[in-house]
Amino acid sequence: MCGIVGGVAERNIVPILLEGLKRLEYRGYDSSGMAVLDGQQQIRRVRALGKIKNLSQKIQESTEEFAGNLGIAHTRWATHGIPAENNAHPHICNNRVAVVHNGIIENYQELKAQQLDKGYRFTSQTDTEVVAHQIHYELTLLGESEDALLKAVQNALRHFKGAYALGVVAVNDPHTLIAARKGSPLVIGIGIGEHFIASDVSALLPVTQNFIFMEEGDVAHITRETVRIFDATGQIVERAVKQSTLTAHAVELGDHRHYMHKEIFEQPQAVIDTLEGRITQEHVLVSAFGHQAEALFATIERVQIIACGTSYHSGLVAKYWFEDIIGLPCQVEVASEYRYRNPAVLDNTLFVTISQSGETADTLAALQQVKNSKKAKNIPTLTICNVPESSLTRESDLTFLTHAGPEIGVASTKAFTTQLVALALLLTAIGKTQKHLSSKRETIIVRGLQKLPGLLRNALQHEDKIIELAQLFADKNSALFLGRGTMYPIAMEGALKLKEISYIHAEAYPAGELKHGPLALIDDQIPVVMIAPNDDLLEKLKSNLQEVKARGGQMIVFEDELSNIESEGSMQVVKATTNVGRITAPITFNIPLQLLSYHVALIKGTDVDQPRNLAKSVTVE
């Protein structure tokens, strides 16, 4: 949550910061702000409620030129304090120190009480304001000593409990930007005679492709010419400069109206990119999961998957695959529940975390909890993630990077699809290693995955029909999604997408559970969406269709062409795909559900890419 961008340069930094904020707006869009040191070495600040365009307009309308060579900026997703201009970052103390912050200072009430006693004045309801005051206080103790701002930040950090990514500037050191990181991501962009910071690389792609990924506890002293990094103990350290393969146009809309639509249509290529180098014509390369993977996979007796939101749904699909295809026990749990219930971790469990960003706070905390646990032995950890150098990738024994590319829309689409592909490769690699999967079965899975991009392209061709069906939701406030087997978590994902971007209340149930309660909801005002693959449960599902039909329900059925369900009366059928297998079916059927939620949101007039109250990367608890 929240986006930070900052920089120190010889040129005016304001246009760079604005462009960076626009590229980070998916992380938060309740309010935004910017502070720069102007030509008189004074802090000037502009803040605005709502989206970045409002901030940009205020800067343009400023009666005095708003410019500077050193600055920080922020786009906010509210945690402490309502969305309001006075709660927007940057926060300033006594016109001497300005701070932007991502994360939560858990002991801010205690610090606030102490600072009030010292005479500090608070103008917001945020936890971040205590950061600015604490750094200012430490500066007063240090006076004019060398590297005073760096030392003040380091000393202040000792008082904070919680998570933070910080950008700090001060008038007493007008050529220095300080960055600090604990529990929230922060990168340093390396330029020629200029340096930058940001919450992720996408913000800085127009100015650099060279980055240092700050590690836990790092504090960086940044000037135009130098970057010095100190670890959590205060020792100066070297961090590698890495070149990003992303380009600035990778996060542009192109011909699409919304990022979500663009990313839905990027899924065939995302699957191709994720499979590349991980399979041959007939086999999965176990080494794709790391050089230790084969030895670790040989020892595991069960799998534990931890994730949140959409990533949790991908894990639920994989549970069916692991137990059905290779007979390996698999448990899946929401990270925010797992980390607080004192779970029993059994020996020889592969602990799998899934996250698009690799920074999801609850998932990261669950991983750290297991790594520090003394209850079990031989618990190898694996993360499936879309972002290299993220916290989860650094913390895990094994890493599998999906190659979905940047995903800007808050509602995850291509990340989910590539996570499912990664999990399919994982179960195949484990089954192959443990000889629970024959060479023939492995080849069938691999060839199915090779067909998947074509299956997804075919499913996308049903968009015009789905646009028509979306009209059914124009005046509706609730919907029900049904599926059986692997289609149940796909129904859950479909319901989540509809909730996220159209604000329609939607629930998902296993179709066999209709008679145990959900049938009471059925009438002509609640659309029912069913997923009907041609599998062993098809006849059972057809009986469930009749149960809904008999009660006057309006139905949309996405089916395999071979399922032979025909449109009639209040039931409309979309022959979404054909010739799908046990693994490719759930991935393919997810496509029409994504398109349905997108076009319903257009009808409802909601903000598709930036739905209210949500942010893309959930880096706070």
Side-chain angles (χ1 to χ4, degrees), residues 198-383:
S199 297
D200 69 47
V201 299
S202 65
L204 301 178
L205 289 174
V207 290
T208 185
Q209 286 187 288
N210 297 312
F211 298 94
I212 294 172
F213 294 85
M214 294 182 69
E215 296 191 6
E216 193 78 352
D218 280 356
V219 178
H221 178 279
I222 303 168
T223 67
R224 283 180 45 222
E225 297 82 13
T226 64
V227 174
R228 291 185 292 153
I229 299 177
F230 301 82
D231 65 15
T233 68
Q235 299 299 308
I236 196 162
V237 291
E238 293 291 329
R239 302 288 186 223
V241 178
K242 301 194 176 183
Q243 188 172 53
S244 173
T245 58
L246 297 176
T247 59
H249 72 266
V251 291
E252 295 173 356
L253 270 173
D255 296 330
H256 296 269
R257 183 174 173 183
H258 296 96
Y259 281 107
M260 182 180 180
H261 193 257
K262 173 177 180 272
E263 288 156 7
I264 289 172
F265 277 81
E266 287 176 339
Q267 288 175 110
Q269 186 59 49
V271 170
I272 292 171
D273 293 341
T274 299
L275 290 173
E276 184 178 359
R278 275 80 182 259
I279 59 173
T280 66
Q281 287 298 311
E282 298 181 338
H283 301 290
V284 170
L285 301 177
V286 180
S287 59
F289 292 90
H291 70 276
Q292 298 174 286
E294 189 165 6
L296 292 176
F297 289 170
T299 66
I300 63 171
E301 298 174 4
R302 62 194 61 81
V303 175
Q304 173 71 64
I305 296 175
I306 298 295
C308 299
T310 287
S311 298
Y312 170 67
H313 295 157
S314 70
L316 290 176
V317 174
K319 175 180 172 66
Y320 286 91
W321 290 343
F322 274 108
E323 298 190 347
D324 180 28
I325 297 174
I326 63 173
L328 193 67
C330 179
Q331 297 298 317
V332 187
E333 193 163 348
V334 173
S336 57
E337 289 296 312
Y338 183 89
R339 61 176 292 203
Y340 289 116
R341 70 170 181 83
N342 194 24
V345 186
L346 300 177
D347 294 350
N348 304 312
T349 296
L350 177 64
F351 193 84
V352 180
T353 54
I354 310 174
S355 168
Q356 189 280 139
S357 67
E359 302 292 348
T360 307
D362 286 314
T363 307
L364 180 59
L367 172 61
Q368 292 168 337
Q369 177 180 318
V370 167
K371 289 184 66 176
N372 295 330
S373 173
K374 298 178 181 178
K375 294 180 180 179
K377 300 176 181 177
N378 189 27
I379 309 293
T381 59
L382 163 70
T383 193

Side-chain angles (χ1 to χ4, degrees), residues 333-562:
E333 193 163 348
V334 173
S336 57
E337 289 296 312
Y338 183 89
R339 61 176 292 203
Y340 289 116
R341 70 170 181 83
N342 194 24
V345 186
L346 300 177
D347 294 350
N348 304 312
T349 296
L350 177 64
F351 193 84
V352 180
T353 54
I354 310 174
S355 168
Q356 189 280 139
S357 67
E359 302 292 348
T360 307
D362 286 314
T363 307
L364 180 59
L367 172 61
Q368 292 168 337
Q369 177 180 318
V370 167
K371 289 184 66 176
N372 295 330
S373 173
K374 298 178 181 178
K375 294 180 180 179
K377 300 176 181 177
N378 189 27
I379 309 293
T381 59
L382 163 70
T383 193
I384 294 172
C385 178
N386 191 40
V387 180
E389 298 301 324
S390 64
S391 297
L392 280 174
T393 63
R394 291 197 296 270
E395 293 272 357
S396 299
D397 299 323
L398 303 174
T399 295
F400 186 97
L401 289 176
T402 58
H403 293 158
E407 188 178 68
I408 304 301
V410 166
S412 182
T413 52
K414 59 180 180 175
F416 178 65
T417 294
T418 52
Q419 285 170 1
L420 289 173
V421 170
L423 287 162
L425 294 174
L426 177 61
L427 80 93
T428 309
I430 294 172
K432 173 181 180 177
T433 300
Q434 297 193 351
K435 303 191 185 315
H436 294 321
L437 198 69
S438 68
S439 181
K440 180 180 179 181
R441 189 72 179 276
E442 178 189 4
T443 299
I444 291 171
I445 291 173
V446 168
R447 289 179 178 170
L449 290 171
Q450 290 168 338
K451 292 178 183 177
L452 185 57
L455 293 170
L456 300 186
R457 291 190 193 97
N458 291 339
L460 289 167
Q461 292 176 8
H462 294 281
E463 184 174 25
D464 289 343
K465 176 63 176 176
I466 292 169
I467 291 172
E468 294 177 21
L469 293 175
Q471 295 295 331
L472 179 64
F473 295 80
D475 60 346
K476 302 298 190 293
N477 296 312
S478 294
L480 193 62
F481 287 70
L482 302 175
R484 300 191 76 134
T486 56
M487 299 305 159
Y488 169 45
I490 295 300
M492 295 173 70
E493 176 62 13
L496 176 61
K497 286 290 159 286
L498 195 67
K499 278 184 282 195
E500 284 180 314
I501 64 169
S502 74
Y503 314 151
I504 290 175
H505 171 253
E507 291 189 68
Y509 278 91
E513 286 293 294
L514 269 175
K515 60 182 69 67
H516 296 287
L519 272 178
L521 297 172
I522 303 299
D523 60 21
D524 61 1
Q525 291 302 305
I526 296 187
V528 179
V529 180
M530 285 195 174
I531 312 168
N534 181 33
D535 61 15
D536 296 341
L537 295 172
L538 178 60
E539 293 307 315
K540 299 285 186 184
L541 187 72
K542 287 182 178 179
S543 297
N544 302 138
L545 285 171
Q546 293 304 316
E547 291 171 348
V548 175
K549 181 181 177 183
R551 288 157 179 83
Q554 293 181 303
M555 285 180 286
I556 297 173
V557 181
F558 293 104
E559 70 149 4
D560 188 300
E561 290 180 4
L562 300 178

